[in-house]
């Protein structure tokens, strides 16, 4: 049986789940303010270590030379991914919504990414893409956390879920992604997300960004999550993904060794 949105009424989805199914994404308020404060404070701390300056993230373009932007970004990424509890706090700020969207036995990507996009800077563009095009499992979701208010070109764009099928049919014909963006331009949405909110989205939907035409700098983090037992693609558990929540029965099952081998339990 093919499970489409038309025959899912037998599943008792709540409002958030239905919204995610319909749109392919969900903007939610972060309830765990402690974890959000830790993430923001840690980024600010590492930024100060690099620049020796304190400033509002929105105004980073006034303090970060364009030619040093990527080295600063990579430096911070390295630091946060070596921080022993940064990934834990990233998971905790989205744990509740992840439980609703993918389940409560969860793995997350080994590394969290950071994007910094200065005004009118074309060196930090992420062309239209879907993560599943490059070996990610279609069962993954992305949790995207802005550290400033994002809107219009300061944000990211994403294809409307109801246009995905038509988009993919044309993609089979190997049309250039940039031409595809222009063809579907009216079907892409630039998401308006405030600091204190986050986005969870289906990474099978084409998305990306454009030149930031606002007068402020965009800061955002992203990380992929999936259910422990949903299918993997090229990016495997233990290689690209690590567990963040495993139930006791699963833990015992993963560590169980059969006293003998049969064809049934190889």
């Amino acid at each position: 049986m093919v499970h489409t949105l038309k025959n899912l009424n037998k599943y008792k989805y709540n409002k958030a789940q239905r919204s995610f199914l319909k749109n392919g994404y969900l903007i939610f308020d972060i309830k765990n303010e402690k974890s959000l404060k830790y993430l923001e404070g840690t980024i600010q701390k590492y930024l100060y270590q690099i620049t020796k300056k304190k400033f509002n993230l929105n105004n980073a373009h006034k303090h970060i030379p364009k030619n040093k932007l990527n080295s600063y970004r990579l430096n911070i990424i390295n630091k946060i991914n070596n921080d022993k509890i940064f990934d834990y706090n990233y998971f905790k700020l989205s744990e509740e919504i992840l439980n609703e969207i993918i389940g409560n036995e969860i793995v997350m990507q080994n590394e969290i990414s950071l994007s910094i996009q200065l005004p009118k800077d074309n060196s930090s563009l992420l062309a239209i893409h879907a993560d599943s095009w490059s070996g990610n499992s279609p069962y993954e979701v992305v949790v995207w956390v802005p550290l400033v208010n994002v809107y219009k070109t300061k944000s990211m764009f994403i294809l409307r879920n109801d246009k995905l099928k038509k988009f993919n049919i044309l993609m089979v014909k190997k049309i250039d992604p940039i031409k595809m963006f222009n063809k579907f331009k009216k079907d892409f949405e630039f998401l308006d997300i405030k600091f204190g909110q986050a986005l969870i989205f289906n990474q099978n939907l084409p998305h990306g960004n454009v030149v930031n035409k606002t007068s402020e700098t965009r800061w955002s983090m992203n990380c992929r999550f999936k259910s422990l037992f949903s299918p993997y693609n090229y990016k495997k558990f233990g290689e690209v993904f690590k567990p963040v929540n495993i139930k006791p029965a699963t833990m015992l099952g993963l560590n169980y060794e059969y006293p003998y081998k049969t064809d049934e339990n190889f």
Side-chain angles (χ1 to χ4, degrees):
M1 179 180 179
V2 177
H3 293 273
T4 69
L5 295 182
K6 293 181 180 179
N7 59 23
L8 288 179
N9 288 331
K10 66 177 182 178
Y11 300 104
K12 295 183 179 180
Y13 290 120
N14 61 29
K15 184 178 179 180
Q17 292 168 327
R18 287 185 175 276
S19 179
F20 187 82
L21 281 167
K22 179 182 177 181
N23 299 315
Y25 70 84
L26 181 68
I27 297 170
F28 62 97
D29 293 329
I30 296 172
K31 296 179 181 179
N32 191 328
E33 295 180 1
K34 183 178 179 181
S35 287
L36 179 60
K37 187 176 181 180
Y38 180 84
L39 298 181
E40 182 198 20
T42 301
I43 294 288
Q44 290 273 20
K45 177 182 72 175
Y46 294 142
L47 183 60
Y48 177 75
Q49 289 177 4
I50 297 168
T51 65
K52 306 304 180 186
K53 297 178 182 178
K54 288 186 178 181
F55 50 84
N56 186 296
L57 294 180
N58 270 311
N59 298 322
H61 53 282
K62 298 178 180 179
H63 306 277
I64 297 178
K66 184 178 176 180
N67 63 345
K68 293 185 178 180
L69 175 64
N70 197 47
S71 64
Y72 285 9
R73 185 181 71 86
L74 293 175
N75 192 328
I76 295 173
I77 287 175
N78 182 61
K79 289 178 182 295
I80 63 176
N81 284 298
N82 281 303
D83 184 307
K84 293 182 179 179
I85 61 171
F86 195 91
D87 57 350
Y88 171 80
N89 280 284
Y90 200 98
F91 164 65
K92 293 303 287 186
L93 66 79
S94 55
E95 180 179 16
E96 184 175 328
I97 196 69
L98 284 169
N99 286 345
E100 293 187 5
I101 301 300
I102 65 173
N104 60 13
E105 293 195 86
I106 299 172
V107 294
M108 72 182 292
Q109 195 176 344
N110 288 335
E111 294 192 351
I112 296 166
S113 291
L114 172 70
S115 174
I116 309 171
Q117 193 176 12
L118 307 179
K120 300 176 178 60
D121 176 20
N122 61 6
S123 68
S124 302
L125 298 184
L126 193 59
I128 178 175
H129 68 288
D131 299 353
S132 50
W133 296 352
S134 57
N136 289 86
S137 165
Y139 294 84
E140 297 170 24
V141 299
V142 177
V143 174
W144 195 81
V145 182
L147 295 170
V148 291
N149 294 342
V150 297
Y151 54 93
K152 297 182 179 177
T153 58
K154 189 187 174 188
S155 185
M156 60 168 277
F157 63 76
I158 191 167
L159 183 70
R160 284 173 44 191
N161 194 48
D162 61 339
K163 298 296 180 180
L164 180 60
K165 185 175 181 179
K166 183 178 179 181
F167 184 97
N168 283 342
I169 289 172
L170 292 178
M171 275 294 291
V172 171
K173 299 179 181 180
K174 297 183 179 179
I175 299 175
D176 181 82
I178 295 177
K179 291 182 180 179
M180 290 290 286
F181 175 76
N182 291 330
K183 185 176 181 64
F184 284 82
K185 200 168 186 177
K186 68 180 186 302
D187 298 315
F188 283 92
E189 299 176 81
F190 283 88
L191 303 178
D192 188 344
I193 309 173
K194 297 177 180 178
F195 175 68
Q197 295 180 315
L199 167 73
I200 182 171
F201 69 91
N202 171 12
Q203 50 86 49
N204 302 312
L205 292 177
H207 56 280
N209 65 7
V210 296
V211 173
N212 176 9
K213 295 181 180 179
T214 75
S215 60
E216 301 171 334
T217 299
R218 187 191 95 188
W219 293 73
S220 62
M221 299 177 291
N222 68 84
C223 189
R224 299 182 186 92
F225 293 83
K226 67 185 295 296
S227 169
L228 172 66
F229 292 113
S230 63
Y232 294 80
N233 200 350
Y234 294 113
K235 299 181 180 181
K236 305 293 186 181
F237 175 73
E239 297 175 2
V240 177
F241 287 92
K242 59 188 176 185
V244 289
N245 195 14
I246 297 181
K247 298 300 182 183
T250 300
M251 182 65 74
L252 292 175
L254 289 172
N255 286 279
Y256 179 71
E257 294 183 10
Y258 286 94
Y260 56 87
K261 290 185 176 181
T262 70
D263 291 340
E264 287 76 29
N265 58 44
F266 269 125

